[in-house]
Amino acid sequence: KAQDNGMTSALNVSGLHKGITQEALTAYDFIKVMVYDNTGPWRPENPGQHAPYSYAEEALDYWIDERKIPAEKLTLGVPFYGHDFEKIGSVSYADLIERDTAYANLDQIGEIYYNGIPTMIKKTELALNSYGGIMIWELAQDTEGELSLLRAIKQTIEARRTKN
């Protein structure tokens, strides 16, 4: 801060390492909350959505109510990938759209769980209403064109700006 540099960290929803004290948390300019990987191939006995909307709401409650971090310091992390519990691995959003463009509007195909455009729009609206922004993991896993998740996020933000 003495050199006008900001300080940020990417942290999970809960279960912080003991070394990350409340004092350390309040020193950050932003905390990028990784609201994904609630389950995954490392838990094959627990298949399901790894980044549901409800998990984003839980994260918000945890960071604001329990950790006492102001909402404007929190950045909602969203995934551009999914987890495949049948083949036990991860899959990019781009790969899913390459298989079938109809998958853009879904969050599940068989045992593959991810966030499609409707959920990404809903999460972007949550970020605009309740967080200081949105963070993406990982941009390279997006598709291009009309079905891009980044495009959906951008359009949601622009629609909000136009309204206000």
Side-chain angles (χ1 to χ4, degrees):
K1 291 194 179 203
Q3 297 179 4
D4 241 1
N5 293 324
M7 188 165 63
T8 185
S9 183
L11 300 171
N12 61 355
V13 175
S14 63
L16 295 176
H17 186 277
K18 293 177 203 170
I20 302 175
T21 64
Q22 192 64 31
E23 182 181 18
L25 291 175
T26 58
Y28 291 125
D29 294 300
F30 288 99
I31 296 173
K32 300 170 187 166
V33 185
M34 300 182 295
V35 186
Y36 37 81
D37 292 344
N38 194 30
T39 190
W42 56 91
R43 286 191 197 136
E45 75 287 352
N46 189 27
Q49 184 53 263
H50 75 107
Y53 183 83
S54 60
Y55 192 43
E57 292 175 314
E58 289 170 25
L60 183 65
D61 291 343
Y62 171 79
W63 283 98
I64 293 172
D65 298 339
E66 292 186 39
R67 299 310 297 227
K68 308 298 184 210
I69 303 299
E72 63 272 6
K73 287 181 119 183
L74 300 173
T75 304
L76 176 64
V78 295
F80 279 16
Y81 64 93
H83 292 304
D84 184 339
F85 285 89
E86 187 175 314
K87 294 183 180 175
I88 310 299
S90 296
V91 59
S92 74
Y93 175 76
D95 287 343
L96 293 171
I97 301 311
E98 190 174 302
R99 294 179 197 177
D100 189 333
T101 57
Y103 294 168
N105 292 307
L106 303 174
D107 287 339
Q108 178 183 353
I109 308 149
E111 290 295 309
I112 301 172
Y113 301 87
Y114 62 101
N115 287 171
I117 290 173
T119 298
M120 201 57 64
I121 289 169
K122 192 173 174 186
K123 285 184 175 183
T124 302
E125 290 168 347
L126 177 65
L128 293 172
N129 291 333
S130 306
Y131 285 89
I134 196 161
M135 181 267 292
I136 298 159
W137 187 265
E138 165 200 2
L139 192 57
Q141 296 191 49
D142 196 9
T143 193
E144 295 181 1
E146 296 288 316
L147 301 178
S148 161
L149 293 174
L150 182 61
R151 182 176 187 272
I153 290 170
K154 181 179 183 228
Q155 288 177 330
T156 304
I157 293 168
E158 287 174 349
R160 169 65 65 85
R161 285 184 183 150
T162 304
K163 254 190 196 177
N164 298 332

